[in-house]
Amino acid sequence: MSKLQGKVAVVTGGNSGIGFASAQAFLAEGADKVIITGRDQRAIDEAVELLGSRAAGIVANVADMAAIRQMGETLGTLTDHVDVLFVNAGVATFAPLEHMTEATFDHNMDVNFKGAFFSIQAVLPLMREGGSIVLNTSVNAHMGMAGASAYGASKAALVSLARNLSAELLPRKIRVNAVSPGPVGTPLFTTAKLGVDEEQLTQMGQHIAGLVPLGRFGHVDEIARTIVFFASDDSSFILGSELIVDGGMVTL
Ligand SMILES: NC(=O)c1ccc[n+]([C@@H]2O[C@H](COP(=O)([O-])OP(=O)(O)OC[C@H]3O[C@@H](n4cnc5c(N)ncnc54)[C@H](OP(=O)(O)O)[C@@H]3O)[C@@H](O)[C@H]2O)c1
């Protein structure tokens, strides 16, 4: 049976990687409509084209408060309700403490935590009773990794947010949970996105894969399946919780 039959879902950062795979999975599970957001009109248009006629896109930079507010308003013109919100848009800019600039620190926090927080605020008026919000965090919320201090803290904040918002949204029966992926092969692993050079990227990839007991990066579909679990009634008795999907990276 289709787990998301008739549901309306929003995926922030849905044009790429885990977000795009989750949008595909939502549609495969029968969602009526999936609305993705991202920064770049062309990337959004291409993704919507691939997702098909039940998809729509909104350009919104979640590091920009005005853009987040506008996203909420535009969303209201596309749908009169939302059942599932996957808060996925994120960046991972790594730097050791002594080289961390205020701009890099703020970028991690502004997109990953503040952007997530206010994206939820913007979508909340449209969310229906019984809805599900899923936050994309990271194993970096739980483990120490050189250079990942700002990123890890921004993601740890989301684990906390899942608990606090679950308590706050209890009267509306909206559940908030977190999924914390280990390393997953996505466009995030590029020199530009990680803020490292080619050699560092190769070393980082080998090092990180070596930290995973399963010995490999995860596939986006392995994360998307977990997002579907939290988005659907399969997880109806789970709130304020977290699933670490990491090939055993922090759990073994
Ligand atoms: N890949 C991993 O190993 C891994 C592990 C743990 C957690 N995660 C988390 O998973 C999420 C998705 O990452 P991914 O690996 O799928 O990487 P990705 O392919 O780079 O996807 C990131 C998405 O977020 C969007 N985004 C970034 N900054 C944004 C902003 N300011 N406003 C709106 N959208 C923005 C990107 O849009 P653009 O295309 O415009 O950049 C893209 O759609 C992130 O939150 C990341 O921290 C990833």
Side-chain angles (χ1 to χ4, degrees):
M1 203 178 87
S2 299
K3 295 173 190 287
L4 296 173
Q5 195 68 46
K7 304 279 188 190
V8 174
V10 174
V11 180
T12 70
N15 59 285
S16 176
I18 295 168
F20 182 73
S22 300
Q24 282 182 309
F26 289 171
L27 289 166
E29 287 294 343
D32 238 14
K33 194 180 279 188
V34 174
I35 298 154
I36 62 167
T37 79
R39 281 178 298 193
D40 180 53
Q41 183 74 61
R42 204 159 122 184
I44 287 286
D45 289 346
E46 284 171 6
V48 168
E49 171 93 24
L50 287 170
L51 290 169
S53 58
R54 284 180 286 142
I58 301 174
V59 175
N61 178 357
V62 300
D64 175 346
M65 287 295 291
I68 292 177
R69 276 192 287 272
Q70 184 59 53
M71 174 189 76
E73 283 168 30
T74 308
L75 193 58
T77 66
L78 297 175
T79 180
D80 62 3
H81 72 276
V82 171
D83 300 291
V84 174
L85 170 60
F86 178 33
V87 183
N88 164 76
V91 292
T93 317
F94 284 49
L97 179 61
E98 63 269 40
H99 297 307
M100 178 67 72
T101 62
E102 186 180 359
T104 300
F105 181 91
D106 285 348
H107 187 53
N108 279 292
M109 293 297 170
D110 285 350
V111 177
N112 295 349
F113 180 51
K114 186 177 172 187
F117 187 96
F118 286 103
S119 294
I120 298 170
Q121 189 190 59
V123 177
L124 201 55
L126 288 168
M127 285 211 67
R128 271 212 295 220
E129 185 168 306
S132 171
I133 300 174
V134 189
L135 310 181
N136 196 349
T137 70
S138 168
V139 284
N140 290 98
H142 300 285
M143 64 184 293
M145 184 184 285
S149 53
Y151 175 70
S154 72
K155 293 297 190 177
L158 293 180
V159 177
S160 164
L161 190 64
R163 296 193 189 117
N164 287 299
L165 288 186
S166 279
E168 201 168 308
L169 300 177
L170 207 50
R172 292 175 60 181
K173 297 187 172 55
I174 295 172
R175 301 178 296 112
V176 188
N177 290 291
V179 171
S180 295
V184 182
T186 70
L188 193 75
F189 281 89
T190 56
T191 52
K193 286 199 172 183
L194 285 177
V196 296
D197 62 31
E198 205 62 61
E199 195 185 331
Q200 287 169 317
L201 185 70
T202 305
Q203 281 174 357
M204 225 172 138
Q206 287 167 349
H207 173 68
I208 291 173
L211 296 175
V212 181
L214 281 182
R216 63 171 175 88
F217 276 43
H219 190 272
V220 285
D221 293 339
E222 293 175 302
I223 309 302
R225 286 199 287 271
T226 319
I227 308 300
V228 168
F229 169 71
F230 275 132
S232 73
D233 288 343
D234 279 357
S235 58
S236 55
F237 203 51
I238 306 177
L239 57 166
S241 194
E242 179 194 14
L243 238 173
I244 297 174
V245 188
D246 70 341
M249 189 172 182
V250 298
T251 45
L252 299 194

